[in-house]
């Protein structure tokens, strides 16, 4: 029997009570009538959950604020969920395994703590007219959304958007992300645009056709780009990456341009089969960890390099005599390159397909460097990737 038969009439006795209802617990909506009974509650104190037995559309109109969570898990008959007046959810908006849900209509919702939408295979669009601007965590996975229109965040802790095979556009006005951005396994045509992003902690980007973050200045942790089809990757204002900067298996990439970048933790560029020249790091001076380059390079230029504290490895299937000659003069315990050193050209080098399949072998012979120190297999960050991709 629905609890709303008793609690809502009682709360409506006084005019003041009509503005706020709930006792801090969780109310379960079992049918459309239960949802309609909340219309007099401008603020619901507690959480609202949709029963797994519900089918059809549920409209939670009238409620402007939920102090807890809004939850619908394993409601396999739910086709639509809406709340015309809802502006804020202080907790989580959690939707999981809603196999026939086709409509989410929240025209004035702007503020939440977290969004977690997992396995909504029939959801193709959002009706969020004003647009969500504030939340801490966003996770969207396994939907048929083609864009995230209606979610235009300015600040967030975590953004995870994965396995949405029709998703072709992510455009947000983010200024900073305090924890991590993980975007991957969406449509191969995905265009990612963060025009106002200045600071991020960690970023992992894969399987996209374009990535733009021209305002980005600092990444406190690591940033990695995998299996994407963009031809150019530019970050004109990026000056510092505190952790690893990684480019792996972006097979159409021909140009990396980060002209203001001065320091990184480690730098790895591997198996980007179209990338022949690495010359976009004009200001890079300090690398506190390792350098691992593996590809079909004809030239590698780091003109301002002043301090490399870890291992330094460049291997190429093409001749890099001039490159190796330059870096040979910089190696040594008290020199610029202080760790183990390898520079080899005209080697048999591994390549990776977009699905991660690897071909070829690691280099077995040296060329271009005078008496290079040969280290079997890969080193540092690239060694980790090589293990992942089966290259060793």
């Amino acid at each position: 029997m629905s609890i709303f038969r008793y609690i809502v009439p009682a709360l409506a006795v006084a005019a003041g009570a009509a503005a706020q209802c709930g006792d801090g617990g969780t109310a379960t909506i079992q049918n459309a009538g239960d949802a309609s009974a909340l219309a007099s509650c401008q603020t619901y104190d507690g959480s609202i959950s949709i029963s797994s037995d519900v089918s059809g559309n549920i409209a939670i109109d009238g409620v402007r604020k939920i102090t807890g969570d809004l939850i619908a898990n394993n409601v396999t008959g739910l086709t639509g969920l809406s709340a015309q007046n809802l502006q804020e959810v202080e907790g989580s908006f959690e939707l999981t395994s809603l196999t026939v849900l086709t409509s989410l209509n929240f025209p004035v919702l702007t503020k939440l703590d977290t969004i977690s939408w997992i396995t909504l295979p029939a959801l193709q669009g959002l009706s969020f007219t004003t647009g969500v601007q504030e939340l801490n965590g966003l996770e969207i996975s396994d939907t048929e959304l083609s864009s995230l229109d209606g979610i235009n965040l300015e600040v967030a802790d975590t953004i995870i958007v994965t396995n949405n095979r029709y998703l072709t556009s992510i455009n947000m006005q983010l200024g900073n992300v305090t924890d991590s951005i993980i975007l991957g396994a969406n449509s191969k045509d995905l265009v990612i645009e963060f025009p106002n992003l200045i600071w991020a902690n960690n970023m992992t980007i894969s399987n996209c056709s374009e990535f733009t973050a021209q305002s980005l200045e600092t990444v406190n942790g690591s940033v990695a780009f995998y299996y994407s089809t963009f031809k150019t990757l530019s970050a004109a204002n990026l000056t510092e990456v505190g952790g690893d900067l990684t480019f792996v298996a972006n097979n159409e990439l021909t140009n990396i341009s980060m002209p203001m970048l001065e320091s990184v933790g480690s730098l790895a560029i591997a198996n980007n089969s179209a990338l022949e020249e690495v010359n976009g790091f004009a200001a890079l001076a300090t690398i506190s960890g390792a350098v691992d380059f593996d590809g079909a390079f004809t030239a590698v230029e780091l003109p301002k390099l002043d301090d490399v504290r870890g291992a330094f490895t460049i291997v190429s299937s093409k001749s890099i005599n001039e490159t190796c000659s330059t870096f040979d003069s910089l190696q040594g315990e008290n020199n610029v390159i202080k760790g183990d050193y390898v520079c080899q050209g005209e080697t048999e080098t591994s390549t990776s397909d977009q699905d991660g399949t690897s071909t070829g072998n690691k280099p077995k012979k040296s060329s271009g460097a005078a008496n290079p120190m040969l280290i079997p297999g890969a080193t540092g960050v690239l060694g980790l990737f090589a293990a992942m991709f089966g290259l060793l």
Side-chain angles (χ1 to χ4, degrees):
M1 181 178 296
S2 173
I3 63 171
F4 290 91
R5 181 176 301 179
Y6 302 102
I7 66 170
V8 174
L11 289 168
V13 170
Q20 180 168 337
C21 52
D23 59 3
T26 298
T28 300
I29 292 177
Q30 299 185 28
N31 51 54
D34 286 348
S36 298
L38 290 171
S40 61
C41 300
Q42 293 185 11
T43 297
Y44 187 84
D45 182 17
S47 298
I48 297 175
S49 177
I50 312 299
S51 168
S52 60
D53 296 327
V54 166
S55 61
N57 295 303
I58 292 294
I60 310 173
D61 296 333
V63 179
R64 298 181 183 179
K65 180 178 180 179
I66 299 172
T67 65
D69 305 323
L70 177 57
I71 303 169
N73 292 336
N74 298 301
V75 190
T76 56
L78 184 67
T79 58
L81 182 62
S82 64
Q84 294 296 317
N85 307 104
L86 187 62
Q87 300 171 10
E88 180 180 357
V89 178
E90 289 189 350
S92 176
F93 188 1
E94 181 179 330
L95 306 175
T96 305
S97 298
L98 308 181
T99 54
V100 297
L101 182 74
T102 59
S103 172
L104 284 177
N105 187 1
F106 291 77
V108 295
L109 182 60
T110 60
K111 185 177 181 181
L112 309 95
D113 182 54
T114 60
I115 283 177
S116 178
W117 298 342
I118 310 296
T119 313
L120 313 178
L123 184 64
Q124 298 181 351
L126 303 174
S127 296
F128 285 51
T129 307
T130 303
V132 175
Q133 299 168 10
E134 296 182 53
L135 56 70
N136 291 318
L138 172 69
E139 183 174 8
I140 299 177
S141 182
D142 295 298
T143 75
E144 288 198 355
L145 291 171
S146 60
S147 77
L148 299 186
D149 290 349
I151 301 177
N152 192 11
L153 305 179
E154 297 176 358
V155 177
D157 290 340
T158 302
I159 296 175
I160 302 173
V161 181
T162 58
N163 296 303
N164 303 283
R165 58 181 178 167
Y166 296 101
L167 186 63
T168 59
S169 175
I170 297 176
N171 188 328
M172 296 183 187
Q173 302 304 309
L174 283 167
N176 63 76
V177 178
T178 57
D179 190 350
S180 60
I181 299 175
I182 300 173
L183 308 176
N186 300 298
S187 169
K188 64 181 179 60
D189 298 319
L190 176 63
V191 175
I192 301 168
E193 298 173 281
F194 296 137
N196 297 329
L197 185 64
I198 295 174
W199 185 92
N201 194 36
N202 291 287
M203 298 173 59
T204 302
I205 310 296
S206 63
N207 310 104
C208 70
S209 65
E210 184 177 337
F211 177 85
T212 304
Q214 288 300 316
S215 298
L216 184 63
E217 296 178 1
T218 303
V219 177
N220 196 49
S222 297
V223 55
F225 299 92
Y226 303 106
Y227 299 109
S228 292
T229 57
F230 44 66
K231 292 179 172 59
T232 296
L233 196 287
S234 176
N237 293 297
L238 183 64
T239 60
E240 179 182 3
V241 176
D244 301 331
L245 175 59
T246 303
F247 305 85
V248 170
N250 305 289
N251 285 342
E252 296 184 29
L253 180 64
T254 60
N255 180 54
I256 302 171
S257 178
M258 297 182 174
M260 302 294 289
L261 183 65
E262 297 176 352
S263 65
V264 300
S266 293
L267 179 60
I269 301 176
N271 304 331
N272 306 285
S273 57
L275 184 64
E276 295 188 347
E277 296 186 2
V278 179
N279 55 13
F281 299 99
L284 184 58
T286 302
I287 301 174
S288 57
V291 173
D292 280 305
F293 288 4
D294 186 349
F297 311 114
T298 58
V300 176
E301 299 176 11
L302 300 171
K304 297 293 185 180
L305 195 62
D306 183 62
D307 186 13
V308 180
R309 300 167 195 172
F312 187 100
T313 302
I314 299 177
V315 291
S316 175
S317 60
K318 298 182 178 180
S319 175
I320 50 171
N321 291 343
E322 186 174 343
T323 291
C324 289
S325 178
T326 298
F327 291 117
D328 286 348
S329 65
L330 301 179
Q331 65 145 327
E333 185 176 348
N334 297 314
N335 208 332
V336 172
I337 300 170
K338 299 171 177 63
D340 294 338
Y341 173 79
V342 174
C343 189
Q344 302 171 4
E346 296 181 309
T347 62
E348 187 179 356
T349 306
S350 299
T351 59
S352 288
D353 296 330
Q354 291 297 318
D355 62 359
T357 304
S358 62
T359 60
N361 300 302
K362 292 299 294 177
K364 297 180 180 178
K365 62 179 181 178
S366 64
S367 172
N371 300 316
M373 179 170 59
L374 180 61
I375 301 176
T379 61
V381 176
L382 183 54
L384 173 61
F385 296 137
M388 291 169 59
F389 301 146
L391 304 183
L392 293 178

